[in-house]
């Protein structure tokens, strides 16, 4: 088998975002240094196969927040039930990406040190830097999911004794330091400037990733302090394995302070140098109108936007396409914005909707049109209204999906892609070219890293570290709000914020079951609105420990106001009494409760809303991980692997708390 040929074909055919399967295959043992990795082109071909790991669900548009208080489908998430999320009997640790990168580094680093790789030296260093980035990426995904995790720096042989020893879970803090170390190497080695029209990695992406990792862990340690979810916390399951372990910075508080400092330094490298896309404040309805900010999310070529640091490229002609444009022009792949998400948008003058001024009054939520009036411009741009024009280029294209003119939301329909479960739909990923609306045949790109995240990361890390908004954070926050079309003076918002009101609509109002202060909440609100549907919400809710309140107070995820509103008249087939009900009863709420429409065999209805268990903040370790690292037939007491907090070592068992 010509492995080098396979890798080259995979890389060149996928525009830098090749199928993950190619390089998840264990490299053949007969590959020798003389055969491969002797030229810089070999390094490039191999690393290109790693890019498929980014945003694997982007074929379906902006669906990254599905299952949170931002966005839901008609189907409930088992994490919010008391008995449907269980310990898997199989394996759920994935080392395939880590192995692929480790094998690459095992082969390449010795040759590089000996000068045995031909080609431009800076190019060689760049691809080594990409390898360190991807290893950091894979480890970060595992830390978020499992917490403590094995640190493996070499591609290991298929030897049980060696694999068992390597399966020891390291404290999550050590893993985070390992990730940050790899990102530092990627910053050192990778190109200073974007490459290949920003479809491949470069130094700026590594800085942003570093800020993301440091902020995640800093907030996790802060809000889970004294719990089993942090090293040396009460009941931490790693204590027997690591009895003498200490935080690298001396103690948890010092570690948190250091992490926030790392996040500030790294994010400032981007926020201080990269400008945000401009917002003309208009929703284009004809070919003569434009708005860079809106159009950026559905552009075929995203390389011209400074704000986009890395994007995923597609091509109809090469058969690498997605459904982004068609879903933005229809029902968002059967996903809907929640009432809570819509409520997060401020009024244009910076006041919360419940404290609106006489000059910019809140018009109510009896119609989608009224709820958007006088609001943050981002709401007008990204929350669709009936009657708006979705398509005005290549309008005669045949076999297109989507609506040329936005219809009344199809809350009673069932055709996939056209069902609006909550009544509210997003325009992110929109493209007015109906030639891009053929079924899963869009060439629209997808943003992987946006510079605005660096602005938001700096603001949050600064306030978490110091309790203040410093000069840079002030500047970055005002720039985000100005671009968003809302009054720049965030202090007006803070002073008018009622945390009791915000708690009705936003899980991010809480940390550890307690309401946060108004300044921190509004930093979180800004992040929620700006990064809506881009896949950050799950991570944010976890790291803020923002779900504890659901343990004692069930929450109803709602959509638009279907009863006692103008929307009621849009439908003649509303049914809440039969077994085929399509809405909830007005006696339950004026707002549609999508996950509670079905009453039979539905735990969300039985529970009277969504609930939470502490154990769900981390995934349970699958039973096969214990079997594979034990010499026992059952019990697995000799395994170096331990289970996560509140989970047992019984297959198909639920979290104890």
């Amino acid at each position: 088998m010509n492995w080098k040929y396979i890798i080259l074909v995979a890389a060149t055919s996928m525009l830098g975002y090749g199928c993950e399967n190619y390089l998840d295959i264990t490299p053949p043992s007969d590959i020798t240094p003389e055969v491969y990795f002797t030229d810089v082109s070999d390094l490039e071909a191999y690393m290109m196969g790693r890019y498929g790991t980014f945003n694997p669900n982007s074929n379906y548009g902006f669906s990254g927040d599905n299952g949170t208080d931002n966005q839901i489908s008609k189907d409930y998430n088992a994490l919010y039930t008391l008995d449907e999320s269980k310990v898997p009997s199989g394996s759920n640790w994935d080392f395939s990406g880590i192995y692929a990168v480790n094998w690459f580094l095992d082969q390449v680093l010795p040759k590089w040190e000996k000068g045995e790789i031909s080609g431009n030296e800076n190019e060689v260093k760049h691809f080594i830097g990409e390898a360190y980035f991807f290893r950091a990426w894979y480890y970060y995904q595992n830390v978020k999911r499992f917490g403590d995790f094995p640190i493996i720096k070499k591609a290991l042989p298929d030897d049980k004794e060696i694999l068992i020893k390597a399966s020891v879970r390291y404290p999550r803090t050590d893993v985070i330091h390992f990730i940050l170390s790899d990102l530092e190497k990627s910053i050192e080695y990778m190109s200073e400037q974007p490459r290949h029209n920003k479809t491949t990695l470069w130094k700026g992406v590594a800085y942003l990733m570093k800020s993301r990792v440091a902020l995640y862990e800093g907030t996790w340690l802060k809000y889970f302090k004294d719990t089993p979810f942090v090293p040396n916390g009460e009941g931490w399951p790693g204590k027997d394995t690591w009895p003498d372990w200490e935080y690298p910075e001396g103690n948890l508080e010092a570690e948190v302070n250091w992490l926030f400092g790392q996040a500030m330094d790294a994010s400032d490298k981007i926020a201080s140098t990269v400008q945000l896309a401009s917002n003309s404040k208009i929703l284009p309805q004809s070919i003569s109108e434009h708005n860079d900010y809106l159009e950026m999310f559905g552009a075929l070529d995203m390389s011209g936007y400074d704000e986009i640091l890395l994007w995923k490229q597609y091509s109809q002609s090469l058969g690498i396409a997605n459904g982004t444009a068609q879903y933005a022009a229809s029902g968002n792949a059967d996903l809907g914005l929640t009432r809570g998400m819509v409520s997060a948008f401020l009024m244009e003058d910076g006041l919360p909707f419940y404290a609106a001024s006489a000059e910019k009054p809140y018009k109510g939520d009896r119609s989608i049109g009224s709820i958007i009036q006088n609001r943050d411009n981002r709401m007008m741009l990204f929350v669709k209204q009936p009657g708006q024009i979705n398509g005005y280029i290549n309008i005669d294209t045949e076999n297109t999906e989507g609506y040329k003119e936005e219809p009344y939301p199809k809350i009673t329909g069932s055709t996939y892609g056209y069902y609006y479960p909550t009544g509210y739909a997003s325009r992110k990923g929109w493209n007015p070219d109906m030639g891009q609306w053929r079924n899963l045949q869009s060439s629209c790109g997808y943003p992987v890293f946006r510079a605005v995240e660096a602005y938001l990361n700096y603001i949050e890390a600064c306030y978490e570290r110091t309790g203040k908004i410093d000069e840079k954070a002030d500047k970055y926050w005002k720039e985000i709000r100005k671009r968003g079309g809302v009054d720049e003076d965030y202090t007006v918002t803070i002073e008018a914020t009622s945390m009791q009101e915000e708690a009705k609509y936003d899980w991010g109002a809480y940390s550890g079951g307690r309401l946060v202060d108004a300044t921190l909440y509004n930093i979180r609100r800004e992040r929620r609105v700006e990064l809506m549907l881009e896949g950050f919400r799950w991570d944010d809710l976890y790291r803020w420990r923002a779900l504890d309140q659901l343990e004692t107070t069930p929450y109803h995820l709602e959509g638009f106001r279907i009863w006692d509103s103008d929307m009621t008249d849009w439908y003649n087939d509303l049914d809440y009494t039969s077994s085929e009900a399509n809405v909830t009863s007005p006696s339950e709420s004026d707002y549609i409760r999508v996950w509670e429409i079905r009453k039979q065999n539905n735990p969300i209805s039985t529970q009277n809303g969504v609930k939470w268990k502490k154990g769900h903040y981390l995934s349970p370790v699958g039973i096969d991980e214990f079997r594979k690292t034990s010499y026992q037939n059952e019990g697995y007491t000799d395994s170096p692997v331990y289970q996560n907090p509140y989970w047992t070592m019984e297959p198909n068992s639920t979290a104890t708390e």
Side-chain angles (χ1 to χ4, degrees), residues 326-336 384 403 406 417-421 425:
Q326 75 184 70
Y327 292 132
S330 56
N332 296 165
D334 292 1
L335 301 174
K384 296 195 290 183
Y403 298 105
E406 186 65 19
Y418 292 86
Y419 173 56
Y420 290 58

Side-chain angles (χ1 to χ4, degrees), residues 134-148:
F134 279 114
R135 188 166 69 178
W137 175 272
Y138 296 130
Y139 265 100
Y140 179 54
Q141 309 313 313
N142 281 300
V143 168
K144 289 190 298 179
R145 187 177 177 190
F146 296 107
D148 300 351

Side-chain angles (χ1 to χ4, degrees), residues 370-522:
S370 64
I371 199 174
I372 291 175
Q373 290 185 46
N374 298 326
R375 302 292 283 274
D376 180 330
N377 182 251
R378 287 171 290 192
M379 189 174 189
M380 185 272 288
L381 295 178
F382 296 115
V383 180
K384 296 195 290 183
Q385 301 177 55
Q388 292 172 331
I389 304 301
N390 290 325
Y392 48 79
I393 299 174
N394 291 324
I395 60 176
D396 296 324
T397 302
E398 296 181 354
N399 301 319
T400 61
E401 306 287 334
Y403 298 105
K404 179 182 176 183
E405 180 178 315
E406 186 65 19
Y408 297 138
K410 309 294 185 180
I411 65 169
T412 62
S414 59
T415 304
Y416 181 77
Y418 292 86
Y419 173 56
Y420 290 58
T422 67
Y424 292 125
S426 166
R427 190 178 283 105
K428 266 193 178 175
W430 163 81
N431 190 302
D433 183 354
M434 294 178 64
Q436 296 296 323
W437 295 8
R438 296 188 184 93
N439 189 33
L440 296 177
Q441 291 299 308
S442 169
S443 294
C444 295
Y446 193 91
V448 180
F449 285 90
R450 277 204 297 143
V452 73
E453 183 195 346
Y455 288 59
L456 292 161
N457 289 356
Y458 186 93
I459 298 165
E460 185 180 348
C462 174
Y463 189 75
E464 287 282 17
R465 190 185 196 207
T466 68
K468 299 177 182 179
I469 301 296
D470 70 11
E471 185 177 349
K472 288 181 178 179
D474 173 79
K475 176 177 181 290
Y476 298 149
W477 201 348
K478 287 178 177 177
E479 287 184 10
I480 294 171
R481 287 170 68 106
K482 181 180 180 180
R483 194 268 293 276
V486 64
D487 190 293
E488 296 175 40
D489 189 356
Y490 52 83
T491 64
V492 171
T493 307
I494 294 168
E495 291 168 2
T497 295
S498 164
M499 291 308 300
Q500 287 69 33
E501 285 294 318
E502 299 295 349
K504 298 176 183 178
Y505 312 106
D506 193 335
W507 294 345
Y510 292 93
S511 278
R514 298 181 180 181
L515 294 173
V516 301
D517 69 70
T519 300
L520 180 57
Y521 170 71
N522 278 291

Side-chain angles (χ1 to χ4, degrees), residues 520-552:
L520 180 57
Y521 170 71
N522 278 291
I523 292 170
R524 293 179 178 185
R525 180 212 302 273
E526 198 72 61
R527 184 177 183 89
R528 184 186 194 189
V529 169
E530 180 59 41
L531 299 177
M532 182 181 77
L533 311 189
E534 295 180 53
F536 290 88
R537 190 61 172 176
W538 275 111
D539 289 355
D540 290 345
L541 293 172
Y542 279 26
R543 68 186 178 88
W544 294 334
R545 195 180 166 188
L547 299 164
D548 282 26
Q549 70 280 1
L550 302 180
E551 294 177 47
T552 56

Side-chain angles (χ1 to χ4, degrees), residues 56-215:
N57 296 319
S58 57
N59 287 354
Y60 300 96
F62 287 81
S63 59
D65 292 350
N66 183 25
T68 69
D69 57 343
N70 284 4
Q71 180 187 48
I72 57 175
S73 69
K74 65 179 180 179
D75 300 316
Y76 67 84
N77 190 308
L79 283 172
Y80 301 119
T81 69
L82 299 181
D83 58 7
E84 290 194 9
S85 186
K86 300 179 180 181
V87 176
S89 58
S91 174
N92 59 351
W93 280 1
D94 182 9
F95 287 95
S96 58
I98 294 170
Y99 180 91
V101 174
N102 281 343
W103 186 82
F104 172 90
L105 292 172
D106 287 349
Q107 305 302 315
V108 170
L109 292 180
K111 300 186 191 68
W112 179 44
E113 293 170 358
K114 296 176 183 177
E116 295 176 352
I117 303 175
S118 61
N120 183 281
E121 174 68 8
N122 288 332
E123 291 282 298
V124 173
K125 289 176 64 176
H126 172 83
F127 295 118
I128 293 172
E130 285 197 6
Y132 283 118
F133 183 95
F134 279 114
R135 188 166 69 178
W137 175 272
Y138 296 130
Y139 265 100
Y140 179 54
Q141 309 313 313
N142 281 300
V143 168
K144 289 190 298 179
R145 187 177 177 190
F146 296 107
D148 300 351
F149 201 71
I151 296 177
I152 301 174
K153 303 178 183 180
K154 299 285 185 181
L156 301 177
D158 188 13
D159 181 299
K160 185 165 186 173
E161 188 72 31
I162 293 174
L163 294 175
I164 288 177
K165 290 180 180 179
S167 296
V168 173
R169 298 179 70 181
Y170 280 74
R172 61 179 296 134
T173 303
D174 287 352
V175 186
I176 289 293
H177 276 259
F178 175 58
I179 292 169
L180 294 175
S181 174
D182 270 1
L183 289 172
E184 283 293 336
K185 292 174 183 174
S186 68
I187 289 170
E188 177 185 355
Y189 293 153
M190 288 200 302
S191 169
E192 287 276 353
Q193 300 300 322
R195 301 158 45 86
H196 305 302
N197 293 323
K198 297 197 284 192
T199 60
T200 60
L201 293 166
W202 60 287
K203 196 183 300 287
V205 178
Y207 275 123
L208 183 50
M209 184 64 185
K210 182 183 176 184
S211 77
R212 182 186 297 183
V213 172
L215 179 61

